[in-house]
Amino acid sequence: MQAFTGTQPTLETSANNIRDLLMRSVSHLRKDYGALLHSGGYSLFFYHYGKIFEDERSLDAAATIIENVLTGEMLYSEKKFSSLSYCAGISGSGWIATYLGREGLIDCDDALTPLDTLAEDFFSYTMQRSNNDFLHGASGALYYLLSRTESPEMEAVVRRMADALLQSACETEDALYWFHYDFDTAQTKPGSLNLGLAHGTPALMSILAKAQCVYPKLGLEDKIRKCAHTILRCRNKVESGSLFGYVQEMDSPKDALSRLGWCYGDLGVAISLWRAAEATGDLELRKEAISLMEHASHRRGLDASVKDAALCHGSAGISHIFFKYYGETGLESLKSASDYWMNITLELIRPTDNCITGRTCWRNEQGFLASFPLLEGITGVGLAILSRLSKEKLDWDNCMMM
């Protein structure tokens, strides 16, 4: 399977099937407020499906779902402080509500104002515990606030948060990075650099790059550039398979392989370097990002270690990243890779007797699971397909810093 064999009708049929499955299932899905894991992501899919296919029922579903999230957010946060996280909590759903507000689907500014303060509190709470993680910690709260309406007051908040993140970094004369946070021990590992866009230094650099782009007076360019070059120093010495591993010990660096995906490995590093290039105007960093993507575009089959279709670490996420940056660069190698992985995706999402969402989510202990969320389920796969079908560029993927 070397090229994309799916046609426009094939993609439309897949999008329709996902929409119908979600419509049948949404009343039974979890009602908590995680943007990437639960309710918020469903509203993104229904909104973009409704716009592309002019389907009012889907647009109504999108508005209803996100409005229900906003209605319950304060009660939910009071019960469980960690529910403010970006991935599984309402900071992420706040990002999606802001996005849908700007798209004109809902009016949510007033409803989100209390969440802005809660996000600041969550940032402080998790920073005190050395958890600066994007998906589950402090930097996710900052990323949410960067989506809100720009103002001098918000700029001051963002500056304080960016300063706090930089103060928590390990910085030497020629390096800047953050110690890997181990969720099993709830502690950082000194001297260890996490190379994942989901949880590591590339994510934190990307968020600071976003802050610099939104508020140019922050003056973070030198720090971002130093961090980017620190990440590049972690590149494997031998170029075979992936060029970056998962975690690098800075005092005793070793080559390591990583699978192809959004969360870890070459594509996530490439995206973070692209964001750093945007924030600094550094064309060499942009070239490094493109070179990484081109190298990754040649990884196929078993070499990529892909088992499922999820956005996080599966074929749909890979296809979407290549498709997005094909649009940015015009490189046919990226288009070819995107076609290849979309073809894989369309096969993986065929329903089975045991799994109505197909082979969308794999767990080593449990095998394939029925999975609906944006990050690891059929909703995210559907959004990747909708980006292919849309006549306009869709920006929903900014929720994952793609």
Side-chain angles (χ1 to χ4, degrees):
M1 195 184 318
Q2 298 302 315
F4 181 55
T5 58
T7 62
Q8 187 85 353
T10 303
L11 291 173
E12 288 183 6
T13 298
S14 297
N16 293 339
N17 289 341
I18 292 170
R19 182 265 191 192
D20 292 345
L21 175 60
L22 286 176
M23 278 292 185
R24 294 194 304 269
S25 306
V26 71
S27 63
H28 305 293
L29 300 176
R30 290 178 62 177
K31 298 298 190 299
D32 57 8
Y33 307 136
L36 304 187
L37 291 184
H38 302 298
S39 307
Y42 309 142
S43 60
L44 270 186
F45 174 85
F46 282 129
Y47 170 71
H48 283 300
Y49 182 96
K51 290 281 286 185
I52 291 170
F53 291 99
E54 298 181 351
D55 179 46
E56 290 297 327
R57 188 180 173 206
S58 291
L59 292 172
D60 289 343
T64 298
I65 290 169
I66 199 65
E67 286 169 356
N68 287 342
V69 169
L70 297 179
T71 300
E73 71 185 16
M74 296 297 291
L75 176 62
Y76 193 81
S77 66
E78 289 169 0
K79 287 183 177 179
K80 187 177 180 183
F81 197 77
S82 63
S83 68
L84 287 164
S85 75
Y86 188 83
C87 179
I90 59 173
S91 289
S93 288
W95 188 99
I96 289 178
T98 301
Y99 175 85
L100 294 175
R102 287 179 176 164
E103 291 285 312
L105 180 70
I106 57 173
D107 182 3
C108 62
D109 266 354
D110 290 343
L112 287 174
T113 298
L115 177 55
D116 296 348
T117 301
L118 291 172
E120 291 184 61
D121 293 342
F122 179 70
F123 179 90
S124 298
Y125 176 88
T126 48
M127 282 297 293
Q128 289 171 6
R129 287 153 180 78
S130 301
N131 177 7
N132 52 31
D133 189 78
F134 166 48
L135 291 184
H136 306 299
S139 61
L142 172 55
Y143 193 68
Y144 156 67
L145 291 172
L146 287 168
S147 74
R148 303 286 285 132
T149 302
E150 297 170 33
S151 68
E153 293 76 18
M154 186 59 74
E155 181 174 5
V157 171
V158 169
R159 183 181 291 278
R160 288 197 299 271
M161 288 183 170
D163 286 346
L165 281 178
L166 287 169
Q167 288 170 11
S168 71
C170 174
E171 183 171 11
T172 64
E173 185 175 338
D174 62 349
L176 191 157
Y177 66 100
W178 287 266
F179 295 150
H180 168 49
Y181 183 82
D182 187 331
F183 282 95
D184 291 334
T185 63
Q187 294 180 340
T188 57
K189 300 181 72 174
S192 182
L193 190 162
N194 184 315
L195 288 161
L197 188 57
H199 303 292
T201 287
L204 294 170
M205 182 181 71
S206 296
I207 292 169
L208 291 180
K210 174 69 173 179
Q212 180 61 36
C213 289
V214 175
Y215 297 108
K217 292 182 181 178
L218 291 177
L220 302 174
E221 295 94 336
D222 289 344
K223 299 292 187 182
I224 293 168
R225 191 177 288 107
K226 180 187 276 190
C227 185
H229 287 290
T230 304
I231 292 171
L232 286 169
R233 282 169 46 194
C234 296
R235 179 174 174 142
N236 290 337
K237 301 297 184 281
V238 178
E239 295 191 3
S240 62
S242 67
L243 298 183
F244 289 85
Y246 291 100
V247 177
Q248 184 64 272
E249 301 300 326
M250 299 301 285
D251 291 337
S252 54
K254 296 178 181 179
D255 284 5
L257 296 179
S258 58
R259 64 188 174 192
L260 200 60
W262 167 79
C263 52
Y264 275 94
D266 295 356
L267 288 179
V269 172
I271 291 170
S272 72
L273 294 174
W274 185 278
R275 298 303 172 204
E278 285 183 325
T280 62
D282 191 321
L283 296 181
E284 290 303 314
L285 290 179
R286 188 176 187 273
K287 290 179 182 177
E288 291 281 4
I290 294 172
S291 176
L292 259 179
M293 289 187 187
E294 286 194 290
H295 182 275
S297 72
H298 299 294
R299 295 181 68 189
R300 308 285 171 96
L302 294 176
D303 176 58
S305 300
V306 175
K307 292 186 177 180
D308 59 30
L311 279 183
C312 179
H313 47 261
S315 60
I318 298 168
S319 177
H320 183 71
I321 293 168
F322 283 130
F323 183 71
K324 180 186 179 89
Y325 287 93
Y326 163 69
E328 296 283 355
T329 65
L331 290 171
E332 287 298 327
S333 59
L334 304 190
K335 174 64 162 56
S336 174
S338 178
D339 290 346
Y340 173 87
W341 289 108
M342 179 53 71
N343 215 25
I344 297 289
T345 298
L346 294 177
E347 290 194 5
L348 287 173
I349 63 173
R350 295 177 187 271
T352 68
D353 291 340
N354 298 323
C355 204
I356 59 174
T357 59
R359 290 171 288 170
T360 303
C361 179
W362 167 266
R363 291 282 187 275
N364 287 333
E365 302 81 9
Q366 301 157 286
F368 290 105
L369 304 175
S371 182
F372 290 87
L374 185 153
L375 191 66
E376 295 184 306
I378 199 68
T379 299
V381 176
L383 282 163
I385 292 172
L386 291 178
S387 287
R388 284 267 187 160
L389 291 169
S390 177
K391 295 178 181 178
E392 302 175 350
K393 178 184 175 183
L394 305 185
D395 292 327
W396 62 266
D397 53 10
N398 287 331
C399 73
M400 292 173 64
M401 293 196 296
M402 288 186 179

